[in-house]
Amino acid sequence: MYARNHWYAAGMSHELGDGLLARTILEEPVLMYRTSDGKVIALEDRCSHRNAPLSLGRRIGDVIQCPYHGLEFGGGGSCTKIPRLDRKPPASYTIRAYPTVERDRYVWLWPGDPALADPALIPDYSWQSQDGWTGTVWLRTIKAGYVFNIENLLDLSHLEYVHAATISTEKFNDAPVITEVHENHVDVFRTMEGVDSDDPEAARYTSGSAAPGGEKVDRQSHVRYIAPSAFWLHTTTYRSGCKDDPDAKINRFGGPNTPETASSHHHFMSTYRNYALDDESLTQLLVDMANTAYSEDIPLLLKQQDRVDAGTYKPIRALPIDKGVLAGIKILERLIERERVEGKDGPVVIAAE
Ligand code: FES
Ligand SMILES: [Fe+2]
C-alpha cells in the first residue's frame, strides 16, 4: 500500500510551536512538537500504557506527559517517568520516534526503517527557502486516496473539462503534451509557443505572470511527480525560444501529497514566484487561484474514492493522454513492491561477481 522508506511531508514549519500537533501519516497517529532548542520531534501519538493519545496530554519542558496516568516521554520516545514507580521505566515502555528534518518550510518525516533515513533523499523544494523567491505554503486534507490526486496532478489534459471555467484556455489545450519518464520521477510538459506576451488568454494558466508587451513569449507548464508522493507544477514565461531567459517569470506550485489513511491524503500546497516579490496581494491571488482550481478537482477525487469504498471501482481503460499518469503509477508500484520484497532487511545488495 505504501512505500515507507521515503521522506513524507508531515507538517509545515509555521505549525510547530509550543503546542502539540496531532496528524495521521500513512495510517499512523503522529504527534509533533518543537523542542525548546528548535528541533522538531515526531512521536507515535499513542501511550505505551493504554494507548491514550499523547497529543491530549501536556508538555513539561520538552517532555510529553500522558493525559491518562501521567507517564512521561522524551523526544527520543523513551519513557522517562512512570508515576509511583520508584525505578527507571523499562525499555518496553518506549514509543516510536520518527526521524524528521525541517527543510524548505516543511517537516519531513521518515515512516520506514530509521537506519535508511538519509536527508539527501528529501525532495527538492529549495526555492521555498531561497532569496529571490516569495510565496506561501498551506495544507488541504482531502478524503480521497493519495493516488487519485497523483493521477490528477500528472494529467494536464483534464483542464479542458474540469477547469474550463477557470484556468483552462484554448491555446493551452492545443499545445502538445510531452512526457518524460525517469527512474524515480515523471515530467510532463505543455508549452504554448510564440504567444503575444500581453495575450490575457495565454497568460491565464500561467498564473497572471504577464510579461511586458511587444514580445513573443513561450509559456511552459512543467509538472513533476517524484515518487512516491512529491509533486510540483512550474509555469514559466520566457522570451520565445529562449529557455535560459534570465528574465523568465516563474511560478512554482507544490507540493507533497502525503497519505493520511488509505482513503485520504494531505496535500501540502504552495505557491512561489521569482517576480513581484513585494506584492502580497499577488500571493493571495495565486493562493486563491490554486485553491479554486483544486476545488474543481476535489469532487471528482471524492467520487472516485466513493467507488472504491463501495467496491465498485474497476480497473481503468487507459488512453494516450494517460502516458504520464501510467508512468507515475508504475514507478510508485515498483517502489512499493521493492519494499515488500526487501522486507525488513533493507535494500537488496547484489554481491559483486
Ligand atoms: S494511558 Fe498513558 S499513562 Fe495510562
Ligand atoms: Fe486539476
Side-chain angles (χ1 to χ4, degrees), residues 39-63:
K39 193 168 177 294
V40 174
I41 301 291
L43 297 174
E44 178 182 0
D45 189 13
R46 179 169 36 210
C47 178
S48 49
H49 176 218
R50 277 199 230 153
N51 286 269
L54 295 171
S55 54
L56 297 181
R58 68 184 183 110
R59 288 182 66 156
I60 304 172
D62 290 339
V63 162

Short mmCIF file of all heavy atoms in Angstrom, two decimals, residues 39-63:
data_model
loop_
_atom_site.label_atom_id
_atom_site.label_comp_id
_atom_site.label_asym_id
_atom_site.label_seq_id
_atom_site.Cartn_x
_atom_site.Cartn_y
_atom_site.Cartn_z
N LYS A 39 14.26 22.10 17.70
CA LYS A 39 14.23 20.86 16.92
C LYS A 39 12.80 20.33 16.84
O LYS A 39 12.04 20.44 17.80
CB LYS A 39 15.14 19.84 17.63
CG LYS A 39 15.47 18.63 16.82
CD LYS A 39 16.60 17.87 17.53
CE LYS A 39 16.96 16.58 16.81
NZ LYS A 39 15.94 15.58 16.80
N VAL A 40 12.42 19.75 15.70
CA VAL A 40 11.08 19.18 15.57
C VAL A 40 11.12 17.69 15.91
O VAL A 40 11.94 16.93 15.37
CB VAL A 40 10.52 19.38 14.15
CG1 VAL A 40 9.19 18.65 14.00
CG2 VAL A 40 10.34 20.86 13.86
N ILE A 41 10.25 17.31 16.82
CA ILE A 41 10.15 15.93 17.28
C ILE A 41 8.87 15.32 16.70
O ILE A 41 7.83 15.99 16.67
CB ILE A 41 10.08 15.86 18.82
CG1 ILE A 41 11.31 16.50 19.46
CG2 ILE A 41 9.85 14.43 19.32
CD1 ILE A 41 12.59 15.74 19.24
N ALA A 42 8.93 14.07 16.28
CA ALA A 42 7.72 13.35 15.86
C ALA A 42 7.69 12.01 16.59
O ALA A 42 8.62 11.20 16.46
CB ALA A 42 7.71 13.14 14.35
N LEU A 43 6.64 11.82 17.37
CA LEU A 43 6.48 10.59 18.15
C LEU A 43 5.19 9.90 17.77
O LEU A 43 4.24 10.53 17.28
CB LEU A 43 6.40 10.92 19.66
CG LEU A 43 7.61 11.57 20.32
CD1 LEU A 43 7.26 11.93 21.76
CD2 LEU A 43 8.80 10.62 20.28
N GLU A 44 5.16 8.61 18.03
CA GLU A 44 3.91 7.87 17.95
C GLU A 44 2.94 8.52 18.94
O GLU A 44 3.27 8.75 20.10
CB GLU A 44 4.25 6.45 18.39
CG GLU A 44 3.16 5.48 18.44
CD GLU A 44 3.68 4.12 18.95
OE1 GLU A 44 4.90 4.00 19.25
OE2 GLU A 44 2.87 3.21 19.05
N ASP A 45 1.73 8.85 18.44
CA ASP A 45 0.76 9.54 19.30
C ASP A 45 -0.09 8.51 20.04
O ASP A 45 -1.32 8.44 19.87
CB ASP A 45 -0.12 10.46 18.45
CG ASP A 45 -1.01 11.35 19.31
OD1 ASP A 45 -0.76 11.43 20.54
OD2 ASP A 45 -1.93 11.96 18.75
N ARG A 46 0.61 7.70 20.85
CA ARG A 46 -0.10 6.58 21.49
C ARG A 46 0.73 6.16 22.69
O ARG A 46 1.85 5.69 22.55
CB ARG A 46 -0.21 5.44 20.49
CG ARG A 46 -0.90 4.20 20.98
CD ARG A 46 -1.18 3.26 19.83
NE ARG A 46 -0.13 3.28 18.83
CZ ARG A 46 -0.32 3.05 17.53
NH1 ARG A 46 -1.51 2.77 17.07
NH2 ARG A 46 0.70 3.07 16.69
N CYS A 47 0.17 6.35 23.84
CA CYS A 47 0.90 5.99 25.06
C CYS A 47 1.07 4.47 25.12
O CYS A 47 0.16 3.71 24.77
CB CYS A 47 0.12 6.49 26.27
SG CYS A 47 0.89 6.05 27.84
N SER A 48 2.24 4.06 25.59
CA SER A 48 2.52 2.62 25.64
C SER A 48 1.76 1.93 26.78
O SER A 48 1.70 0.71 26.83
CB SER A 48 4.02 2.38 25.77
OG SER A 48 4.56 3.18 26.80
N HIS A 49 1.18 2.72 27.69
CA HIS A 49 0.42 2.10 28.77
C HIS A 49 -0.93 1.59 28.26
O HIS A 49 -1.12 0.41 28.07
CB HIS A 49 0.24 3.12 29.93
CG HIS A 49 -0.60 2.61 31.05
ND1 HIS A 49 -1.49 3.42 31.73
CD2 HIS A 49 -0.71 1.38 31.61
CE1 HIS A 49 -2.10 2.71 32.66
NE2 HIS A 49 -1.63 1.47 32.62
N ARG A 50 -1.84 2.51 27.95
CA ARG A 50 -3.14 2.05 27.48
C ARG A 50 -3.62 2.82 26.25
O ARG A 50 -4.81 3.06 26.09
CB ARG A 50 -4.18 2.17 28.59
CG ARG A 50 -4.17 1.00 29.56
CD ARG A 50 -5.48 0.95 30.33
NE ARG A 50 -5.24 0.84 31.74
CZ ARG A 50 -6.09 1.27 32.68
NH1 ARG A 50 -7.20 1.88 32.33
NH2 ARG A 50 -5.81 1.09 33.94
N ASN A 51 -2.65 3.21 25.41
CA ASN A 51 -2.99 3.76 24.09
C ASN A 51 -3.65 5.14 24.10
O ASN A 51 -4.22 5.55 23.10
CB ASN A 51 -3.91 2.80 23.31
CG ASN A 51 -3.16 1.60 22.79
OD1 ASN A 51 -2.65 1.61 21.68
ND2 ASN A 51 -3.05 0.56 23.61
N ALA A 52 -3.60 5.86 25.19
CA ALA A 52 -4.18 7.21 25.16
C ALA A 52 -3.37 8.09 24.19
O ALA A 52 -2.15 7.94 24.08
CB ALA A 52 -4.16 7.82 26.56
N PRO A 53 -4.04 9.02 23.49
CA PRO A 53 -3.30 9.93 22.60
C PRO A 53 -2.46 10.90 23.44
O PRO A 53 -3.01 11.65 24.24
CB PRO A 53 -4.39 10.68 21.84
CG PRO A 53 -5.67 10.00 22.17
CD PRO A 53 -5.48 9.26 23.45
N LEU A 54 -1.17 10.88 23.20
CA LEU A 54 -0.30 11.79 23.95
C LEU A 54 -0.55 13.24 23.55
O LEU A 54 -0.27 14.17 24.31
CB LEU A 54 1.17 11.43 23.72
CG LEU A 54 1.55 10.04 24.26
CD1 LEU A 54 2.94 9.66 23.80
CD2 LEU A 54 1.47 10.02 25.78
N SER A 55 -1.10 13.44 22.36
CA SER A 55 -1.37 14.82 21.91
C SER A 55 -2.43 15.49 22.77
O SER A 55 -2.59 16.71 22.71
CB SER A 55 -1.81 14.82 20.44
OG SER A 55 -2.90 13.94 20.26
N LEU A 56 -3.17 14.71 23.57
CA LEU A 56 -4.13 15.30 24.50
C LEU A 56 -3.49 15.61 25.85
O LEU A 56 -4.14 16.13 26.76
CB LEU A 56 -5.34 14.37 24.71
CG LEU A 56 -6.18 14.07 23.46
CD1 LEU A 56 -7.34 13.15 23.82
CD2 LEU A 56 -6.69 15.37 22.84
N GLY A 57 -2.22 15.24 25.97
CA GLY A 57 -1.50 15.48 27.22
C GLY A 57 -0.90 16.87 27.26
O GLY A 57 -1.39 17.79 26.60
N ARG A 58 0.17 17.01 28.02
CA ARG A 58 0.77 18.35 28.13
C ARG A 58 2.29 18.24 28.09
O ARG A 58 2.86 17.17 28.35
CB ARG A 58 0.30 19.05 29.38
CG ARG A 58 0.80 18.44 30.67
CD ARG A 58 0.19 19.15 31.87
NE ARG A 58 0.73 18.60 33.10
CZ ARG A 58 1.56 19.26 33.91
NH1 ARG A 58 1.95 20.49 33.64
NH2 ARG A 58 2.01 18.69 35.01
N ARG A 59 2.87 19.36 27.75
CA ARG A 59 4.33 19.45 27.74
C ARG A 59 4.83 19.84 29.12
O ARG A 59 4.28 20.73 29.76
CB ARG A 59 4.79 20.53 26.75
CG ARG A 59 4.63 20.15 25.33
CD ARG A 59 5.16 21.24 24.44
NE ARG A 59 6.62 21.41 24.56
CZ ARG A 59 7.38 21.93 23.62
NH1 ARG A 59 6.82 22.34 22.49
NH2 ARG A 59 8.68 22.07 23.79
N ILE A 60 5.88 19.17 29.53
CA ILE A 60 6.62 19.63 30.70
C ILE A 60 8.03 19.87 30.17
O ILE A 60 8.81 18.94 30.02
CB ILE A 60 6.63 18.58 31.82
CG1 ILE A 60 5.19 18.21 32.19
CG2 ILE A 60 7.39 19.10 33.03
CD1 ILE A 60 5.08 17.05 33.15
N GLY A 61 8.29 21.11 29.78
CA GLY A 61 9.53 21.38 29.06
C GLY A 61 9.47 20.64 27.73
O GLY A 61 8.51 20.79 26.97
N ASP A 62 10.47 19.82 27.46
CA ASP A 62 10.50 19.08 26.19
C ASP A 62 9.99 17.65 26.36
O ASP A 62 10.11 16.82 25.45
CB ASP A 62 11.93 19.06 25.63
CG ASP A 62 12.34 20.44 25.15
OD1 ASP A 62 11.43 21.27 24.88
OD2 ASP A 62 13.55 20.70 25.08
N VAL A 63 9.40 17.37 27.52
CA VAL A 63 8.86 16.04 27.79
C VAL A 63 7.34 16.09 27.63
O VAL A 63 6.70 17.12 27.89
CB VAL A 63 9.26 15.62 29.23
CG1 VAL A 63 8.41 14.48 29.75
CG2 VAL A 63 10.74 15.25 29.26
#
